[in-house]
Amino acid sequence: MSIQLAPMQRENMTARIYREIKQKIMMGELRPGETITLRSITESLGVSQTPVREALLQLVSEHALAPSPGKSVKVPELTEAQLLELRAIRLELESFATRRAVPLATPALVETLREIHAQLMESRRQQAMAPVLARNFDFHFALYRAAQMPQLVSMIENLWVQTASYLSYVYTPPFPTLPGRHPHEAIIEAVQARDVEAALREIRRDIEGHGEYLMRYLTEHQLLHR
């Protein structure tokens, strides 16, 4: 049964639907090219089409979804050039956020980063994709939010969601592991010491290392659009 919502209720419903779909993309539950229909969402949630349409349009405007024929949208399929461009932009913005955050770091932030990373490593041992992706997001954005620049954080999040669906290909057992110790461990040490350059070096190693692994995987499995 469809539920007709008052204007304020509809706004809240739109925000909830927006967050739920975005979360599915970020956690690798939706793969590139997968179609989302207006009807499927309205029926599964039991709501009217209006808040669903508004949520989908917002995600399309942020390039998290792409228009598709009929009353549907799809998870974007990116070309090699687009993936490389997004990674290059991420490197710049996330390095900037790190540069601003590290001098403002508190002992509470360091402890938060340690706790999140411990949870991430436990999820890695269990080879559980969604928790690993969630804790990785939590780790990075706990650091970036410390920069106290909410517009910058929003920009970085929009970049993440555009490529997050591709992680569903990579984070299937066995998970990728970069040479040496995990970059997060060195990031935590750098944040605690307020060593900006060390933190920047490890942020770049994290982004570039996993980015290169992703590109190799997509190429080897012929999943990369030219």
Side-chain angles (χ1 to χ4, degrees), residues 49-166:
Q49 290 190 357
T50 301
V52 175
R53 184 182 297 108
E54 290 171 349
L56 293 177
L57 286 173
Q58 183 175 350
L59 288 163
V60 169
S61 72
E62 295 172 358
H63 305 292
L65 294 173
S68 190
K71 294 183 178 180
S72 64
V73 294
K74 68 176 182 178
V75 181
E77 295 176 282
L78 303 176
T79 65
E80 179 179 11
Q82 288 172 320
L83 285 166
L84 291 174
E85 179 184 1
L86 289 169
R87 189 175 74 188
I89 299 170
R90 277 191 57 199
L91 280 167
E92 294 300 320
L93 293 187
E94 293 178 48
S95 294
F96 179 53
T98 300
R99 186 178 294 278
R100 297 295 295 264
V102 171
L104 301 175
T106 63
L109 173 62
V110 174
E111 185 58 29
T112 295
L113 294 176
R114 282 205 183 100
E115 291 176 0
I116 294 171
H117 183 63
Q119 294 168 7
L120 184 152
M121 295 306 290
E122 177 59 30
S123 295
R124 280 189 66 93
R125 281 189 285 272
Q126 298 173 10
Q127 297 287 283
M129 179 181 71
V132 166
L133 295 180
R135 298 296 80 76
N136 186 59
F137 177 90
D138 292 343
F139 182 93
H140 282 267
F141 281 82
L143 175 60
Y144 303 152
R145 290 189 188 101
Q148 300 179 21
M149 302 181 73
Q151 294 298 321
L152 175 61
V153 172
S154 179
M155 292 168 67
I156 295 171
E157 183 174 330
N158 286 342
L159 291 171
W160 274 54
V161 76
Q162 289 183 59
T163 57
S165 62
Y166 281 87

Side-chain angles (χ1 to χ4, degrees), residues 161-192:
V161 76
Q162 289 183 59
T163 57
S165 62
Y166 281 87
L167 297 179
S168 64
Y169 291 125
V170 178
Y171 279 91
T172 52
F175 290 175
T177 302
L178 296 183
R181 64 174 177 164
H182 199 291
H184 289 184
E185 296 173 4
I187 290 170
I188 292 168
E189 291 178 2
V191 171
Q192 184 173 27

Side-chain angles (χ1 to χ4, degrees), residues 169-224:
Y169 291 125
V170 178
Y171 279 91
T172 52
F175 290 175
T177 302
L178 296 183
R181 64 174 177 164
H182 199 291
H184 289 184
E185 296 173 4
I187 290 170
I188 292 168
E189 291 178 2
V191 171
Q192 184 173 27
R194 294 194 175 183
D195 186 336
V196 174
E197 294 307 314
L200 287 172
R201 183 169 59 249
E202 294 303 320
I203 284 288
R204 295 189 69 90
R205 185 167 78 89
D206 196 2
I207 297 171
E208 290 178 331
H210 286 98
E212 289 169 4
Y213 183 95
L214 171 62
M215 298 302 289
R216 285 198 305 272
Y217 183 95
L218 295 176
T219 300
E220 290 170 4
H221 292 80
Q222 299 182 341
L223 296 169
L224 200 55

